[in-house]
C-alpha cells in the first residue's frame, strides 16, 4: 500500500525520551529483555499488544512507539498488526495468551469480534485495555485509553463551519458528510460529535446536505478505505452536482478520506470544497498548507502509547480501580459498550488549520517539517 511506504519515514521521528514513573520494579519485570518478542519467541510475555490494520499513519507510528517504550521500560512485549483482517487479529491474541501475556492492549479492527479472546483473557486473570477503539458488547474489557472521540467530531463540525464561513460568509452552505468504518466504534462518536454541531445549522436551514445522505449508515466508509470514500463521492457528485455545481464543504472523519474526497472533486474538475480531517498525516499537512484541505485533528500517537503502557504497568503491579492516569481523571460515564460502562482515560484532541499548524506541531519535528516545507 502506497501510504505505508510514504510513512515509513516516520520511523525516524526520534527515540522516546519519556520515562514512566512506574518503571522501577514493576511486577518483577526488570530482568526481561525489552525486544519485540514476536509471535515465535514470546513466551513469558508482559504485554500482548494487538493492533488493527495500518489504515492511517497513527497506526504505523504506534508500532514504533510501543516497541521503543517496551524496550526502555524493560517490558517484554509482542506488538502485532492484523493487516489481513479480523481472524488474523483473533489468532494473534490467542497466541499472545498462549505465550503467557500478563496484560493485553487491543486496538480492534472490529470492536465486536474479539469476545472469545477477551473471555479467555478474563478466565486467565489477564487484564484487557482497549486502545484507541473501544471493545464492544463484552464485560471483559477493563479500561479504555483514547483521544476524546466525540470531542474529535465536535471539533471537526466546528472547523467545517468556520471554514465555510471564511469561504462564503453568511452561507447558506451545501455540504456532504463522510463517516468512518462501521466496525470501528469510534466512527459513531466522530459522526455524532460532528452532527451535534451541524444538525442545528441544518435545522435552521443554513446548511443542506446536497445528496440527502445524512445518516452514518449512508455515509460510512467500509474498512476506512479511501477507495470506497472516493467512489461514493464520485457518484454523489455525478448525481447531485451537475456542471460547475460543487458542495461548499465536506465533513471527512480522517485525513486519508479527506484526500480521497478532495481527489474526487479535483478529478471531476470542481473547485475544491472546505474539507475536514483527522490524524495529522504528513500529506494532509502539506495539503492544508497549500490550501487544499482545510483542517485536521492533532492527536499525537506518542502520548497515547505512553498513557496506555503506563496504565498497563499499574495493572501489572496489581493496582485496581485506577482513577487517575498521569493527571487524567477517569471518565466512567461515556463509554457504554452495551455490556458495561468502560472506565476511560481520554486525551484532548486539538484542531489544526493553516493558521495554527506551526504552533500545534512545534514539538513534532516530522510534522513541523511537513508544515514548513510548503512556502
Ligand atoms: C480510528 C482512529 C482514527 C483513524 C481511524 C482510521 O479508530 O481513531 O484516528 O486512525 O481509526 O484508521
Amino acid at each position: 500500500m502506497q501510504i505505508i511506504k510514504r510513512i515509513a519515514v516516520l520511523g525516524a521521528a526520534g527515540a522516546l525520551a519519556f520515562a514512566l514513573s512506574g518503571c522501577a520494579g514493576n511486577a518483577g519485570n526488570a530482568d526481561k529483555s525489552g525486544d519485540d518478542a514476536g509471535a515465535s519467541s514470546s513466551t513469558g510475555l508482559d504485554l500482548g499488544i494487538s493492533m488493527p490494520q495500518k489504515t492511517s499513519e497513527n497506526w504505523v507510528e504506534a508500532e514504533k512507539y510501543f516497541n521503543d517504550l517496551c524496550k526502555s521500560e524493560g517490558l517484554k512485549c509482542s506488538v502485532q498488526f492484523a493487516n489481513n483482517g479480523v481472524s488474523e487479529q483473533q489468532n494473534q491474541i490467542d497466541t499472545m495468551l498462549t505465550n503467557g501475556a500478563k496484560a493485553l492492549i487491543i486496538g480492534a479492527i472490529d470492536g465486536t469480534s474479539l469476545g472469545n479472546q477477551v473471555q479467555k483473557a478474563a478466565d486467565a486473570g489477564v487484564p484487557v485495555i482497549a486502545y484507541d477503539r473501544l471493545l464492544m458488547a463484552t464485560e471483559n474489557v477493563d479500561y479504555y485509553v483514547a483521544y476524546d472521540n466525540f470531542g474529535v467530531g465536535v471539533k471537526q463540525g466546528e472547523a467545517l463551519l468556520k471554514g465555510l464561513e471564511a469561504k462564503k460568509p453568511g452561507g447558506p452552505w451545501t455540504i456532504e458528510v463522510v463517516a468512518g468504518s462501521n466496525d470501528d466504534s469510534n466512527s459513531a462518536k466522530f459522526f455524532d460529535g460532528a452532527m451535534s454541531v451541524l444538525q442545528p445549522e441544518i435545522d435552521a436551514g443554513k446548511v443542506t446536505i446536497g445528496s440527502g445522505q445524512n445518516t452514518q449508515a449512508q455515509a460510512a466508509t467500509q474498512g476506512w478505505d479511501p477507495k470506497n470514500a472516493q467512489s461514493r463521492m464520485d457518484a454523489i457528485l455525478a448525481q447531485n452536482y451537475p456542471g460547475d455545481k460543487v458542495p461548499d464543504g465536506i465533513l471527512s472523519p480522517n485525513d486519508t478520506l479527506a484526500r480521497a474526497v478532495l481527489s474526487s472533486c479535483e478529478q471531476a474538475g470542481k473547485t475544491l470544497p472546505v474539507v475536514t480531517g483527522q490524524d495529522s498525516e504528513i500529506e494532509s499537512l502539506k495539503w492544508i498548507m497549500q490550501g487544499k484541505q482545510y483542517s485536521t485533528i492533532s492527536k499525537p500517537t506518542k502520548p497515547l502509547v505512553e498513557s496506555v503502557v503506563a496504565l498497563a504497568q499499574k495493572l501489572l503491579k496489581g493496582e485496581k480501580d485506577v482513577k487517575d492516569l498521569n493527571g487524567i481523571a477517569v471518565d466512567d460515564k461515556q463509554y457504554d459498550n452495551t455490556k458495561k460502562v468502560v472506565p476511560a482515560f481520554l486525551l484532548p484532541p486539538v484542531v489544526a488549520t493553516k493558521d495554527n499548524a506551526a504552533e500545534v506541531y512545534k514539538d513534532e519535528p516530522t510534522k513541523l517539517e511537513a508544515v514548513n516545507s510548503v512556502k
Side-chain angles (χ1 to χ4, degrees):
M1 228 168 114
Q2 201 192 355
I3 183 174
I4 310 256
K5 272 194 236 140
R6 195 170 55 234
I7 57 199
V9 293
L10 285 172
L16 289 176
F18 190 80
L20 290 166
S21 51
C23 74
N26 54 36
N29 294 323
D31 57 340
K32 301 256 175 68
S33 139
D35 289 338
D36 177 16
S40 56
S41 62
S42 49
T43 44
L45 274 184
D46 293 317
L47 302 181
I49 301 174
S50 167
M51 295 289 113
Q53 288 130 328
K54 293 176 180 171
T55 39
S56 48
E57 282 172 14
N58 49 321
W59 296 109
V60 180
E61 291 176 307
E63 180 170 36
K64 173 186 163 46
Y65 291 135
F66 274 122
N67 280 319
D68 286 354
L69 192 53
C70 287
K71 194 161 193 166
S72 65
E73 289 296 300
L75 292 166
K76 192 165 182 194
C77 299
S78 173
V79 183
Q80 303 281 325
F81 279 78
N83 284 312
N84 294 321
V86 168
S87 58
E88 184 178 35
Q89 185 163 37
Q90 292 168 334
N91 292 337
Q92 287 171 342
I93 296 173
D94 286 340
T95 305
M96 289 169 184
L97 289 168
T98 307
N99 288 336
K102 298 188 191 72
L104 292 176
I105 295 173
I106 301 176
I109 296 171
D110 177 341
T112 61
S113 69
L114 301 174
N116 288 342
Q117 282 63 41
V118 294
Q119 183 61 54
K120 281 185 216 164
D123 294 345
V126 172
V128 173
I129 309 173
Y131 170 87
D132 185 274
R133 300 173 176 178
L134 188 58
L135 292 161
M136 302 301 290
T138 175
E139 280 166 15
N140 302 315
V141 49
D142 296 282
Y143 295 95
Y144 178 44
V145 178
Y147 280 89
D148 172 5
N149 298 301
F150 190 86
V152 167
V154 168
K155 286 182 188 300
Q156 290 171 332
E158 289 171 350
L160 184 62
L161 292 178
K162 198 169 167 201
L164 288 168
E165 181 63 36
K167 184 180 177 176
K168 198 170 141 193
W173 305 295
T174 303
I175 65 165
E176 294 298 333
V177 295
V178 178
S181 191
N182 280 336
D183 49 10
D184 175 354
S185 64
N186 284 353
S187 297
K189 292 280 186 193
F190 299 151
F191 191 77
D192 291 349
M195 290 311 274
S196 75
V197 173
L198 298 176
Q199 194 60 48
E201 304 297 326
I202 295 172
D203 295 344
K206 200 159 175 188
V207 170
T208 306
I209 298 179
S211 65
Q213 297 185 22
N214 60 358
T215 64
Q216 190 197 337
Q218 289 170 313
T221 307
Q222 181 50 40
W224 288 97
D225 187 336
K227 286 199 290 303
N228 294 335
Q230 186 159 349
S231 57
R232 174 171 170 264
M233 198 50 59
D234 288 347
I236 285 178
L237 292 177
Q239 281 158 27
N240 302 280
Y241 298 89
D244 57 6
K245 284 212 164 95
V246 62
D248 299 307
I250 300 177
L251 172 78
S252 165
N254 83 352
D255 287 343
T256 53
L257 306 188
R259 297 196 301 277
V261 297
L262 280 162
S263 298
S264 175
C265 294
E266 211 162 33
Q267 283 161 26
K270 307 286 186 192
T271 57
L272 296 183
V274 175
V275 178
T276 61
Q278 169 177 206
D279 292 334
S280 311
E281 297 207 328
I282 295 301
E283 191 64 13
S284 280
L285 293 178
K286 292 181 184 164
W287 286 30
I288 287 170
M289 298 317 287
Q290 289 162 3
K292 282 174 76 175
Q293 183 177 325
Y294 179 70
S295 65
T296 186
I297 299 286
S298 167
K299 34 180 239 184
T301 304
K302 194 174 153 193
L304 191 62
V305 165
E306 288 167 350
S307 300
V308 78
V309 171
L311 177 59
Q313 288 180 309
K314 284 175 185 278
L315 304 182
L316 289 179
K317 282 194 280 182
E319 231 179 280
K320 301 241 179 311
D321 199 17
V322 181
K323 296 271 188 231
D324 178 276
L325 184 61
N326 296 339
I328 298 174
V330 72
D331 177 328
D332 51 10
K333 303 208 162 47
Q334 205 190 137
Y335 281 96
D336 185 342
N337 78 353
T338 75
K339 285 280 162 47
K340 72 183 275 195
V341 179
V342 182
F345 294 101
L346 303 174
L347 282 69
V350 171
V351 69
T353 63
K354 196 174 177 173
D355 292 341
N356 67 350
E359 171 64 20
V360 171
Y361 302 107
K362 65 179 188 318
D363 298 326
E364 293 176 84
T366 318
K367 295 193 199 304
L368 189 61
E369 194 185 309
V371 168
N372 289 333
S373 73
V374 180
K375 296 293 165 223

